[in-house]
Amino acid sequence: MKKKLNNHIDKDGYYGNYGGSYIPEILYNNVNELNKKYNSIIAGKAFRKEFESLLKNYVGRPTPLYFAANLSEQFKAQIFLKREDLNHTGSHKINNAIGQVLLAKHLGKKRIIAETGAGQHGVATATVCALMGLECFVYMGKKDVERQAPNVSRMKMLGATVIPVLSGSQTLKDATNEAIRDWMNNTENTYYLIGSVVGPHPYPDLVTKFQSVISAEIQQQLKSITGEPSPDYVIACVGGGSNAAGAFYHFIDSDKTKLIGVEAAGKGIDTGYTAATLNIGTPGIIHGSKTFLIQNNDGQITEPHSISAGLDYPGIGPLHSFLHETKKASYLSATDEEALIAGMNLTKKEGIIPALESAHALAALEKIKFKSNDVVVVNLSGRGDKDLDTFINYLNKKENA
Amino acid sequence: MHNRIDKLFKTKASNIVSIYTTAGFPKLNDTLSVIKALDKAEVDLIEVGIPFSDPLADGETIQKSSTIALENGMTLKLLFEQLKNLREISEKPVILMGYLNSVLQYGIEEFYKQCNVCGIDGIILPDLPLGEFEKSHKQFTDKYNIHAVFLISPLTDKKRIVQIDKLSKGFVYLVSSNSTTGKTQDPMKATEQSIKEITKLKLKNKILIGFGINNAKTFNQACSLANGAIIGSEYIRRISNSTNIEKTTIEFIKEIKTGIYDHSIK
C-alpha cells in the first residue's frame, strides 16, 4: 500500500468495464461518504500505525511463506504456501475486518453488520468487534448456518448476533441481500463491513487494499528466500475473490508472474450445480456492482453450488472480471471432489488441513504443467477446522464404497 | 409527445393514488386482470413490478411476491407479451418498476422500444445510477417517449435533488424514510422535514411519496405533504390471498380514499 501502484480503478470505481456503484438512492449518502473519505483515512498516519500494529501483534503477521518440500516433489515445481490459515481466526478475512472496523470507527459508526458464507468473515468481524467493543450483526444463509456450525458458535461466543437468512438459496448471495437491506434500514448508525472484493465502489478497492498485505509480504519473503521477489505463479481460490485479490495485487502488472484464480466448479461447470462465475457467467449487476455473474436469459441470478460455503457465490469481484477479460489472470475451476482430494493430499503430505476454499487452489496444482524451477505460490487462505465434518463424511463414503 | 403521466398531472395534482403490483402475481396471468381491477377502482397511476431474483430495495412482502411470480414462470419477455393488450383495457398511466439487470439482459434499447409498443409511460429502476442513465438510457427514453422517474430519500442533499429533478420526467419518487419498501414504522416524520426543504427548491416535477404508505391515515398524511402517494406492499398483501381480485382491489382503494378503514387501530 505504501508503494504507488496502478490499481486499475478509475474515479467512478470501474476496473475497465466492471465495478461502479449500482445502489438504491437510500444508500447513496453512505456509499458516497465512504467513497469520499476512505482513501485519505486509510492513508493517514494514525490509521496505518494502528492497522499495522494490530496485524502484527493481534493477527500474527507476517504469515509464513512456507516451502512445501513434499508438494514440490509431487508436482515437480518449487511450491510455497502463503500461510493465511495461521492468522488469528484462521483465515485471511481478519486482514479486511480489522481495516474496515478501524475505518468504521473513524466514520463514527457504532453498529457493524456483515454477511458471511463459510463463517470466516463473520468470525473475523465478530472478533474485531469484540476487541473494539462494537455491536455486531452477522447475516448468514440458513444452509450455511447448518453446514458451518462451529463458526456460528464462535460468532455467538464472541458476542455477535447471527441472523439466519431464509430467503432465496439461503447462502452467501442471500445473506448479502439481507445485509444490504439492514443497511438501508439503518443508514445513520451502521457500517456495512463487506467481506469480499464485491459490492458497490469503493468496497472492491477498499477490501483489495486491506488484503494486499498478502502480496506485499510474498514479495518480501520470496526475495529473502530466493533473491527474486516475483514468483512464476500465484494461485488462489476465488469466490467473491478477496484472498485472490490480496495475493495478486502487487503482481498484477508483472510480466513474469502468472496469476491463476480457481473457481468452484461444484459438481462440474456444465452440470448446473456450480459456482464457477467467470467460466460460465455473463456480465450483469449483482450486489451493486457490474461484473460477471451466473444468471439465466431473463437476468435472474441463479443459485450456485459448491461444497465450500465460502465459494458458493454467483458473482465475483469486478477486479477479477477485469483481470479475466484483459487476460491479466487466468481462471480455472476445481470440482467439489477435486477440492476434497487436494485437501486430503495436503493433509497427508504436509500435515496441514486446509479450508475447503483453499483446497480448490491446491487442486489447480494438478492442472498446470510446471517447469521444475518454477516458483509457485499457493495462497492457503484458511484452515480446515470448520470443514472437518465434510472431510470426514467424504472419507467415510470412500471407505464404504 | 403525448404521455399519460403528463396528461394525468395536467388535470389532477393532488391526492394521486399510485398502486404497485408485481407482474405475474398472484398467478402468472393475473398481470392484466390486476391492472383492469385497478383501472376499475379508479386509481390514478399503476406501477407494474418486473420480478427479480434479488430485489435489494424491496421488503419482505414484495420480495415474496417476486419469488412467487418467478416460480409462476414470469419473465420480462412474457410481461411484454402480456402487456401487448394493455391499452385495450386501460388508459391509466402505467410505469414499469424493476432492477437494472433485467433491462441489461433484455437489451437497453429493445426494452424501451417494447415499453413504447405496449403503451408504457414510465420506468423506475432504483439501482440505475444517474450517470449511467444519462450515458446509456436517456437517448432511448427520449426516443421512445418513456418517462424515467428517480427516487430521492430524506438524506438526499439539495444539489443532488436538483440533479434528480432535472433528469426525472413526470414526477420524483420521494422515499418516505430510509428503509426498504413496507418496513416503515413512522414514515411521515422524516418526510415532513424533507418536504419542507424540497418545496423551497421549486422542483419542475410533481412529488409522490412512497414506502410505508399502508392505510388511509398514512395516505392522507402523504397527500397533505405532496401530490400523492404510492402504495405497494399493503396492496400486494391484500391481493395475495384474494379470491376476487377485482372486489378486493375496489374495496382497498375505497378504504384508502375515504379513510373508512384504519389499519393502525386493528
Side-chain angles (χ1 to χ4, degrees):
Chain A
M1 262 186 267
K2 282 173 199 162
K3 216 172 104 188
K4 187 83 184 143
L5 277 166
N6 173 12
N7 60 6
H8 297 284
I9 196 164
D10 71 17
K11 68 174 177 36
D12 298 318
Y14 285 88
Y15 300 92
N17 296 318
Y18 303 104
S21 180
Y22 297 82
I23 48 162
E25 183 63 25
I26 295 168
L27 290 178
Y28 181 83
N29 265 22
N30 281 42
V31 173
N32 194 41
E33 184 195 14
L34 189 62
N35 190 20
K36 275 187 179 155
K37 294 181 179 169
Y38 82 103
N39 270 323
S40 65
I41 292 176
I42 68 175
K45 249 191 187 158
F47 184 97
R48 294 233 45 92
K49 203 176 153 198
E50 196 174 3
F51 182 54
E52 280 161 16
S53 160
L54 284 167
L55 286 186
K56 181 169 177 239
N57 302 308
Y58 186 69
V59 175
R61 301 204 73 94
T63 57
L65 184 70
Y66 164 69
F67 176 68
N70 299 332
L71 273 196
S72 296
E73 198 191 311
Q74 183 184 1
F75 293 105
K76 308 280 181 273
Q78 308 302 307
I79 296 174
F80 291 84
L81 301 177
K82 180 60 175 164
R83 297 292 307 275
E84 291 299 297
D85 60 317
L86 293 177
N87 282 324
H88 180 40
T89 73
S91 83
H92 70 291
K93 293 291 186 188
I94 191 90
N95 304 328
N96 169 52
I98 287 184
Q100 286 200 60
V101 167
L102 290 178
L103 184 55
K105 278 181 76 177
H106 275 261
L107 294 169
K109 306 281 184 183
K110 304 259 186 279
R111 181 176 177 270
I112 305 288
I113 56 171
E115 83 295 335
T116 198
Q120 294 301 92
H121 173 57
V123 168
T125 303
T127 298
V128 185
C129 285
L131 175 70
M132 304 277 177
L134 295 170
E135 238 191 326
C136 178
F137 295 84
V138 180
Y139 287 87
M140 188 169 190
K142 189 169 162 276
K143 197 169 139 191
D144 293 336
V145 169
E146 284 156 11
R147 63 177 164 172
Q148 304 286 332
N151 275 345
V152 175
S153 303
R154 291 162 83 196
M155 285 185 268
K156 287 182 179 164
M157 205 172 149
L158 289 158
T161 306
V162 179
I163 305 165
V165 173
L166 303 172
S167 58
S169 53
Q170 308 187 340
T171 60
L172 183 53
K173 163 180 90 97
D174 311 283
T176 308
N177 287 340
E178 281 312 314
I180 293 174
R181 288 189 187 111
D182 178 313
W183 198 24
M184 290 171 72
N185 288 316
N186 300 285
T187 43
E188 312 227 0
N189 66 344
T190 297
Y191 181 88
Y192 178 23
L193 206 162
I194 296 188
S196 192
V197 288
V198 302
H201 177 66
Y203 281 105
D205 185 44
L206 185 60
V207 179
T208 299
K209 282 182 173 151
F210 288 141
Q211 293 294 2
S212 69
V213 64
I214 301 173
S215 60
E217 286 178 8
I218 294 173
Q219 276 190 323
Q220 285 168 7
Q221 291 166 320
L222 262 190
K223 188 155 194 271
S224 72
I225 301 167
T226 68
E228 166 57 51
S230 298
D232 295 294
Y233 289 88
V234 176
I235 304 175
C237 66
V238 188
S242 71
N243 92 79
F248 291 174
Y249 191 76
H250 287 80
F251 306 113
I252 287 175
D253 291 313
S254 153
D255 293 330
K256 180 185 172 193
T257 307
K258 296 183 188 70
L259 304 175
I260 311 284
V262 187
E263 298 192 309
K267 295 181 179 172
I269 56 170
D270 301 323
T271 61
Y273 294 91
T274 181
T277 306
L278 289 176
N279 278 279
I280 66 155
T282 49
I285 311 282
I286 183 170
H287 297 140
S289 178
K290 187 180 276 183
T291 188
F292 275 71
L293 57 131
I294 306 178
Q295 58 185 333
N296 68 16
N297 290 339
D298 190 40
Q300 308 299 341
I301 300 172
T302 316
E303 294 179 10
H305 166 85
S306 169
I307 195 170
S308 139
L311 304 182
D312 203 352
Y313 183 67
I316 190 166
L319 170 65
H320 293 292
S321 290
F322 168 74
L323 295 178
H324 170 68
E325 192 170 273
T326 54
K327 299 192 162 60
K328 286 175 182 287
S330 311
Y331 293 84
L332 311 177
S333 68
T335 63
D336 292 348
E337 173 105 17
E338 288 169 338
L340 284 162
I341 292 170
M344 284 310 305
N345 182 62
L346 186 74
T347 306
K348 294 261 164 70
K349 286 260 161 59
E350 298 284 351
I352 299 169
I353 303 175
L356 274 173
E357 290 75 20
S358 323
H360 285 74
L362 294 163
L365 292 171
E366 298 271 4
K367 298 168 188 263
I368 301 166
K369 242 190 140 61
F370 299 111
K371 294 197 290 282
S372 61
N373 59 350
D374 277 344
V375 172
V376 179
V377 176
V378 179
N379 196 36
L380 200 68
S381 56
R383 68 179 184 223
D385 310 36
K386 68 186 179 62
D387 298 313
L388 284 188
D389 277 353
T390 313
F391 277 120
I392 291 165
N393 282 342
Y394 173 73
L395 288 179
N396 288 344
K397 252 190 217 162
K398 248 178 105 180
E399 272 171 25
N400 294 336
Chain B
M1 268 190 287
H2 166 81
N3 185 300
R4 292 172 195 84
I5 303 171
D6 299 334
K7 207 178 141 199
L8 166 69
F9 288 130
K10 263 182 202 147
T11 54
K12 186 177 175 186
S14 61
N15 298 321
I16 298 286
V17 185
S18 180
I19 300 290
Y20 169 94
T21 182
T22 300
F25 177 85
K27 296 273 174 344
L28 183 62
N29 291 317
D30 281 339
T31 313
L32 278 192
S33 17
V34 171
I35 292 173
K36 206 170 167 183
L38 288 166
D39 182 275
K40 219 167 170 188
E42 296 185 355
V43 305
D44 300 301
L45 252 162
I46 299 168
E47 290 177 24
V48 178
I50 304 164
F52 182 51
S53 55
D54 294 75
L56 277 185
D58 289 304
E60 231 180 308
T61 309
I62 294 178
Q63 275 178 54
K64 225 183 257 168
S65 70
S66 268
T67 307
I68 293 170
L70 292 173
E71 283 165 6
N72 288 343
M74 202 60 209
T75 63
L76 183 51
K77 202 174 152 208
L78 181 59
L79 176 59
F80 281 130
E81 275 169 38
Q82 290 178 345
L83 292 176
K84 285 245 156 74
N85 303 321
L86 167 67
R87 291 308 167 195
E88 288 166 23
I89 62 156
S90 176
E91 263 309 302
K92 301 285 181 197
V94 175
I95 292 173
L96 289 190
M97 186 162 184
Y99 290 83
L100 180 57
N101 198 48
S102 304
V103 176
L104 291 182
Q105 304 314 319
Y106 193 83
I108 299 174
E109 174 160 16
E110 192 55 27
F111 173 77
Y112 293 110
K113 192 176 161 190
Q114 282 305 316
C115 284
N116 175 286
V117 167
C118 296
I120 297 296
D121 304 289
I123 54 108
I124 302 176
L125 300 169
D127 59 347
L128 171 60
L130 299 179
E132 183 132 339
F133 168 72
E134 285 187 278
K135 207 176 93 192
S136 317
H137 294 244
K138 195 175 178 302
Q139 50 192 311
F140 302 120
T141 54
D142 287 347
K143 182 173 171 187
Y144 295 107
N145 188 27
I146 307 296
H147 285 6
V149 172
F150 289 94
L151 277 68
I152 52 182
S153 94
L155 290 178
T156 309
D157 68 35
K158 285 179 194 166
K159 205 176 136 195
R160 192 166 160 85
I161 292 174
V162 170
Q163 193 193 0
I164 289 171
D165 181 52
K166 200 179 132 202
L167 291 175
S168 289
K169 264 184 163 179
F171 64 95
V172 289
Y173 186 141
L174 174 62
V175 177
S176 60
S177 71
N178 288 302
S179 67
T180 46
T181 55
K183 240 203 154 165
T184 314
Q185 299 295 323
D186 187 1
M188 289 307 136
K189 223 173 164 183
T191 316
E192 234 179 293
Q193 193 50 41
S194 31
I195 280 285
K196 273 184 202 154
E197 297 297 319
I198 293 166
T199 313
K200 287 183 204 154
L201 298 172
K202 299 202 185 334
L203 303 188
K204 73 176 167 76
N205 285 297
K206 297 283 185 286
I207 300 167
L208 298 185
I209 298 177
F211 286 32
I213 316 289
N214 55 9
N215 55 25
K217 188 182 157 209
T218 41
F219 177 73
N220 286 334
Q221 282 176 320
C223 288
S224 72
L225 298 171
N227 303 95
I230 301 155
I231 303 172
S233 301
E234 185 59 26
Y235 179 65
I236 294 287
R237 228 169 288 166
R238 296 292 181 97
I239 61 167
S240 59
N241 298 314
S242 168
T243 48
N244 184 338
I245 287 177
E246 188 175 299
K247 190 164 164 262
T248 305
T249 303
I250 290 170
E251 281 172 11
F252 177 63
I253 302 303
K254 209 167 146 194
E255 274 170 38
I256 292 295
K257 285 185 174 174
T258 59
I260 52 167
Y261 177 87
D262 189 348
H263 194 78
S264 64
I265 56 170
K266 201 185 171 187

